[in-house]
Each structure stands twice: as C-alpha cells, then as structure tokens.
Amino acid sequence: MSNKLTLGILGVAAVGIIALAIVLIVVVAGGGSDKKDSATQDAGTPAASGTTSSGSGDTGKAATGELRLRGDDPLFLDPAVAQDAGSALYIVEIFSGLERLDRDLKIQPDLAESYDISPDGKTYTFHLNKKATFQDGRPVSADDVKYSFERALDPDTGSVTAENFLGDIVGAKDVSRGRAKEISGLKIIDDTTFSITLDASKPYFLYKLTYPTAFVVDKRQIQSNPKRWTQKPNGTGPYKLKEWKLGERIVLEAYANSHLGPPKLNTIRYDLSGGSSLVAYEDGEIDITGVGLDDLDRIQDPGDKLHSEYVTTPRQSIDYIGFNTNVPPFDDPKVRQAFAMAVDRKKIAEVVLKGAIPVATGILPPGVPGHTPDDKTKQYDPEAAKKLLAESKYAGKLPPITLAESGAGATVGPTEEAIIQFWKDNLGVEVKIQQADAATFFGDIDQGRYQMFHLGWIMDYPDPEDVLDVLFYSKSKQNNSRYSDPEVDLKLEAARIERDTEKRLALYQEVEKKLIDDAAWIPMFFDTTHALVKPYVKNFEFTPSVIERFRDVEVNR
C-alpha cells in the first residue's frame, strides 16, 4: 500500500513505505505499488470483466495453529487514514476491498466477485460476492461500499490518501473538497450491484481499489462509536482483531466465514514488548524474524545452524532523502544537486550496509513497469558538488540545515552518520539530525514542516503511477516534497489516460529522469528482505508489497 515508514531495523512488523536509515528492513506482511496483473494487459490496462480468486477456498476444515511474530502498535487501524506500513500490515488482514493483490501482485476478486467495463473504459459495474459479510455476520452491501468511499473522501475524516486513490471517480474531488456529500459517479443499482464512472479511462484504476483507502468499513459500528470503533473493528477480512493490549500484544483470529474461504491459520500473535527478535527466535518464542546487519554475516555462513532457515527476497521499495523544494536552501535545484552528488551511496552500501541492499539506480524499483537497470542517479562527484553549491543563490550564506527522521530518542544510525559526514567533508556543511515520534514525524511531513527528511516508499501496487504521480504531481496531497513543474504535471496527466503501454511507460521514464535531474529526491537504496523462518511454517512468503497473506499459512510445530 502506499506506505510510509522510517528507517532502521523494523523487524517483522515493518512493512510498506520504508525508510531504512540504519540496517535492513525486514517485513512479515506487505508493502507500498505497481506491476502486471492477471486482470490487466502489460502495465495495467483492463482486459476482462473479472478474474479468478486466489483465496484458499472453502476447505471445510477448521483453522488451526498459531503464528508468533514481533510487532509494533499500529498508528492507525482506520483504513481511510492509515498511510504507514506498520499500520497497513494489520489493516490488510482485518479489512478488505473490492479487489485484492495476490502474492504475484496480480489483481484478484475480493468483495467484488466480478465486474464489467463499458466500451469507453470509463464505467465499471461491480457485482458483490453474495457470501461477503462483515465479521459480525451482516452481509456487505453496495451501500456499504458507497459509505466507505464517501467517508474516506470526507474532509472531516482527514485522509491524506483518499483523493489520490479515489479521485479518478467522477464527483470524488467534489466530496474531498467539501463541495458535495455524495460521489456523483458512484451509483447503486441494487443491494449487490453498483457502478463507478471515472473521469477518463485509467489503466491503473483497479489497482487503486486494492489500497486500504478503498477498503469497506462498517457504517453502523462507526456511527454508533465514532471515537473508539478501531479498538475492535468489524472488518470483512480473513482475520478479526481478537485482542490489542498497547505495548504488549496484538492477537488476530481467523474469521471462519470469510467469503474467500476460511483461513488455514487460526491465530496470529504479535509480541509488542520489544527486545531482540533474533534472540526470541533462537529461544523458540517467535517463528519469523528479521536479520540485522550485526548478525547477517553469521546467518549467511552455510556452517551456521540457522543458515538453512535464512530467506532473502527483493522488495518493491526505495529508500530516499527527500527535500522540501519550497523552503531555503532546497528551493534552489543547485543546492539539491550538490547534496546529491556529495554522498557516496555505493560506499555506504558496501561499508555500512555490508552489501545487504542494492544502491538505487533511479526512483522506480525493480519489478515495477518502467524500471530500467541503467543507473540514472546523480553520481558521486565532490568537486562538481562544491561547484554547484558555489553557483547557487545560497553560496556562502546557507541557513541552518536539519535532516528529519522518525525515532524520537533513538540513537542516530550509521547510515545517517555516514550521510551527514559526507556533506560535512565535501561541502563543509554541518547538518543536524531532527527526530520525532512516528505519528508526529508523518504529520509534519504531510504539513511540509521539514527542510529535508529520510524516508522510504514501498510500492502499493506495481505501476509507476503509484510513486511518480502520487508523490510528485503538484496537486497531490501526498506530494511531501512540494515539488512543482508544469512539464512534469503535463506528462503525468497524459500518462494517466494513455492506453498504449509502451507510450505510457515512456512518459513515466521521462518524468523519472526530470525528477532525478532536478534532484527532487536523492534515491539511496532499493530494498531486500533478510529474515529467518522456522521450518514448520508452511506457505509463508515475503512479498514485494504489503498485502494480505496469512490465510494460506500453516504452522505445524
């Protein structure tokens, strides 16, 4: 899901948009955007009126077994407002939307068992699965979908993501901007049938319905208990929130009447108490753990007893340094370019990160349509960096500069230390680290309160629109860089409606090149999961993005 997270060793609870400032990011549940899909042609053009389910189906067997993980308290359990991976990993199990991504990131039916598309590609008619119910047994209706979309867009809900993921629907922006209460492009036909009309044919539209903002929530529960409903949400997903004790544990329990079939795994238990997850894994207290840098050499040694349980998987995510392009000194492209060229990313990856993750070659991660392996980033060149800084309008008069990150009270990691040391050695600039707790950090990012920040982005679905349009279109509410370029906007607008895959991807590649030339970001690293999985855990996979994925897992200790 389009997700934001911060760097560091996030362990099994970290997913989605990531910033990995310290070590490796290791996740147990999911991600932050685009890829080919069975319901699409090439990079996402709708091809057929429906797909086949990848759910486990009705096995007739009661769920058994418990999977034990380390985790963190989510910032949100409201799908409409969550935008961080740590929250998303729970949300995608408790709630669901019309469509879902399977483990290959292909679109599959979820609450909607099928859909039809009008000849002009603008109107989708969805048919709900008649077996779909909320976890209290009430059937899901078309009115529930309408309510959920309109609630997400309502300005009072405060969603930063809703307009990006639902804004292609006719009338959606009227709701999000307070001009209307109802989405004019969403029409209820009967209890289980409704239509959605878009402002234009959009090749990526179905992908957006797999993002939490488009998930269905229970109107009755929210209206009866608006402030506390997320403590025991009545979702439609394969798992119910059985228990949440802050700072101690979260327990998810299988929903036996799930419309895609009962989950095979009965319970998922997250230990939120902290401590070394690797020690807990070795002591048999948890079943999956991430591996940090300090332990990586040992685990990668074929002679180590844990080596046979070691798993490494590439992820569709990027770690980056972002700039607020509206504030001094980063409103000057030459300053941004100087900062980009003054950091030896390859040396940091080799020495600090021990080669555990690859250096980014652009903004689009591997596996995302439009990605190319050639290195498009600003290359390390201290002399050129000094020259650019001297040519900038801030030459000799730079204001104080801070690099913001999530992690109030945490020790500054070796990656950040290396970055700011490069800036000091090569540019003579002292950069201070500013830390904040996660909720404050993400809120301040959205409000544009930082000059510069270290973040990560996990693709929500495999399409370049999910990162380039969502984060760099000038009118996007998630454009936390405040980047604005008329040429980029025009190309992003053209790519939204381009039906020819080759032409569409070419537009995104031109946008990516422009963003890198302007140093809107410093792309730092792509991501790789390094983890240990107990041999008795079956059918578990680390996926490139944050998706629902525990229903088919089995634990046989």
Side-chain angles (χ1 to χ4, degrees):
M1 5 238 45
S2 145
N3 312 322
K4 273 194 266 197
L5 250 216
T6 44
L7 262 231
I9 190 153
L10 302 173
V12 282
V15 200
I17 297 171
I18 337 173
L20 32 93
I22 292 199
V23 255
L24 331 176
I25 294 191
V26 186
V27 256
V28 164
S33 181
D34 262 7
K35 180 180 178 179
K36 284 188 186 176
D37 164 310
S38 63
T40 61
Q41 297 173 350
D42 298 320
T45 305
S49 62
T51 55
T52 56
S53 172
S54 64
S56 58
D58 188 355
T59 63
K61 297 179 181 179
T64 59
E66 179 177 82
L67 182 67
R68 303 164 304 169
L69 309 169
R70 276 290 171 84
D72 293 300
D73 287 301
L75 297 179
F76 308 98
L77 278 185
D78 182 347
V81 300
Q83 56 177 316
D84 65 290
S87 298
L89 94 89
Y90 302 108
I91 288 171
V92 297
E93 303 295 339
I94 298 170
F95 300 89
S96 57
L98 300 176
E99 305 289 324
R100 63 190 287 264
L101 294 177
D102 65 17
R103 294 183 180 189
D104 296 321
L105 302 188
K106 296 182 184 299
I107 296 175
Q108 302 290 351
D110 200 330
L111 294 175
E113 64 181 2
S114 65
Y115 58 85
D116 305 298
I117 310 175
S118 61
D120 63 3
K122 293 170 63 175
T123 299
Y124 290 71
T125 301
F126 290 93
H127 308 277
L128 292 176
N129 187 327
K130 292 181 174 59
K131 294 181 180 179
T133 64
F134 289 97
Q135 290 160 352
D136 67 354
R138 182 172 71 84
V140 175
S141 71
D143 185 63
D144 292 313
V145 178
K146 184 174 185 290
Y147 167 77
S148 299
F149 283 19
E150 289 171 349
R151 174 184 175 271
L153 288 160
D154 189 329
D156 290 341
T157 301
S159 173
V160 176
T161 60
E163 191 169 293
N164 281 330
F165 291 92
L166 300 174
D168 297 320
I169 304 172
V170 171
K173 290 180 181 177
D174 290 330
V175 176
S176 67
R177 298 176 188 186
R179 299 190 293 259
K181 292 294 185 182
E182 294 187 290
I183 303 172
S184 59
L186 198 164
K187 303 292 185 184
I188 294 178
I189 299 170
D190 58 38
D191 282 351
T192 60
T193 312
F194 61 94
S195 65
I196 291 176
T197 299
L198 309 182
D199 54 17
S201 177
K202 304 285 178 72
Y204 51 80
F205 174 66
L206 287 176
Y207 277 129
K208 294 205 167 192
L209 298 182
T210 69
Y211 185 75
T213 296
F215 284 5
V216 173
V217 294
D218 183 358
K219 175 181 179 178
R220 298 179 189 179
Q221 181 186 35
I222 294 172
Q223 291 185 339
S224 66
N225 194 1
K227 293 185 178 180
R228 300 173 65 87
W229 71 274
T230 56
Q231 293 182 6
K232 201 78 172 177
N234 185 30
T236 59
Y239 286 91
K240 300 183 287 186
L241 179 60
K242 180 181 180 181
E243 182 182 14
W244 179 8
K245 195 163 185 179
L246 280 170
E248 293 188 24
R249 62 185 170 273
I250 285 178
V251 180
L252 304 183
E253 183 178 59
Y255 176 47
N257 293 322
S258 172
H259 56 285
L260 296 182
K264 295 178 181 177
L265 181 66
N266 184 59
T267 308
I268 308 164
R269 180 179 297 271
Y270 292 90
D271 177 1
L272 313 180
S273 60
S276 169
S277 62
L278 182 58
V279 170
Y281 181 88
E282 291 186 282
D283 289 345
E285 297 171 6
I286 58 176
D287 305 312
I288 301 174
T289 182
V291 180
L293 286 179
D294 291 342
D295 301 298
L296 194 58
D297 286 344
R298 172 169 75 90
I299 300 302
Q300 289 179 331
D301 182 353
D304 188 86
K305 64 180 181 179
L306 293 177
H307 179 74
S308 63
E309 299 167 23
Y310 173 56
V311 177
T312 179
T313 310
R315 308 200 62 213
Q316 288 184 9
S317 63
I318 179 171
D319 173 70
Y320 68 92
I321 302 292
F323 301 107
N324 186 332
T325 60
N326 276 357
V327 302
F330 300 117
D331 56 339
D332 187 336
K334 289 188 175 181
V335 176
R336 302 196 301 266
Q337 292 162 358
F339 271 64
M341 297 174 73
V343 176
D344 191 340
R345 297 170 300 129
K346 293 178 181 177
K347 178 154 284 189
I348 294 174
E350 177 185 347
V351 177
V352 179
L353 299 176
K354 301 181 181 179
I357 52 177
V359 175
T361 57
I363 294 174
L364 298 177
V368 176
H371 167 82
T372 57
D374 56 300
D375 194 347
K376 299 163 285 292
T377 60
K378 296 287 184 187
Q379 298 303 296
Y380 180 58
D381 190 336
E383 293 306 315
K386 288 177 189 175
K387 186 172 183 292
L388 283 165
L389 194 59
E391 292 172 355
S392 75
K393 65 182 181 181
Y394 294 102
K397 50 182 179 181
L398 281 174
I401 296 175
T402 58
L403 173 65
E405 66 172 12
S406 174
T411 304
V412 176
T415 301
E416 280 81 6
E417 288 182 344
I419 292 169
I420 62 178
Q421 190 64 47
F422 274 119
W423 287 331
K424 180 178 180 180
D425 293 344
N426 295 328
L427 300 177
V429 178
E430 295 272 2
V431 175
K432 294 183 178 179
I433 297 290
Q434 178 179 355
Q435 293 185 332
D437 66 84
T440 300
F441 177 69
F442 294 135
D444 287 346
I445 286 281
D446 293 333
Q447 296 299 316
R449 295 187 177 126
Y450 298 129
Q451 287 176 304
M452 179 169 54
F453 45 90
H454 196 171
L455 251 183
W457 181 262
I458 298 177
M459 298 295 291
D460 304 299
Y461 43 84
D463 193 283
E465 176 271 341
D466 182 55
V467 59
L468 299 180
D469 203 333
V470 170
L471 296 184
F472 295 104
Y473 184 64
S474 65
K475 297 177 183 178
S476 170
K477 290 185 177 181
Q478 288 183 270
N479 182 349
N480 47 41
S481 298
R482 304 308 194 258
Y483 181 84
S484 179
D485 182 278
E487 179 187 354
V488 166
D489 280 355
L490 286 173
K491 289 182 177 179
L492 289 172
E493 290 166 357
R496 292 174 190 169
I497 58 175
E498 178 56 64
R499 300 298 295 267
D500 183 287
T501 299
E502 187 174 335
K503 292 179 180 178
R504 182 169 180 262
L505 295 182
L507 285 167
Y508 284 125
Q509 289 167 342
E510 291 171 12
V511 168
E512 181 185 34
K513 183 179 185 304
K514 173 67 172 173
L515 294 171
I516 292 172
D517 288 345
D518 282 354
W521 276 6
I522 305 177
M524 294 296 292
F525 311 106
F526 292 138
D527 186 25
T528 300
T529 293
H530 295 266
L532 294 169
V533 181
K534 294 289 188 182
Y536 51 74
V537 176
K538 306 298 182 183
N539 300 324
F540 174 82
E541 294 180 17
F542 288 97
T543 55
S545 297
V546 180
I547 61 171
E548 175 260 300
R549 57 174 168 179
F550 288 124
R551 70 167 64 245
D552 291 323
V553 172
E554 297 181 75
V555 176
N556 301 303
R557 290 187 186 83

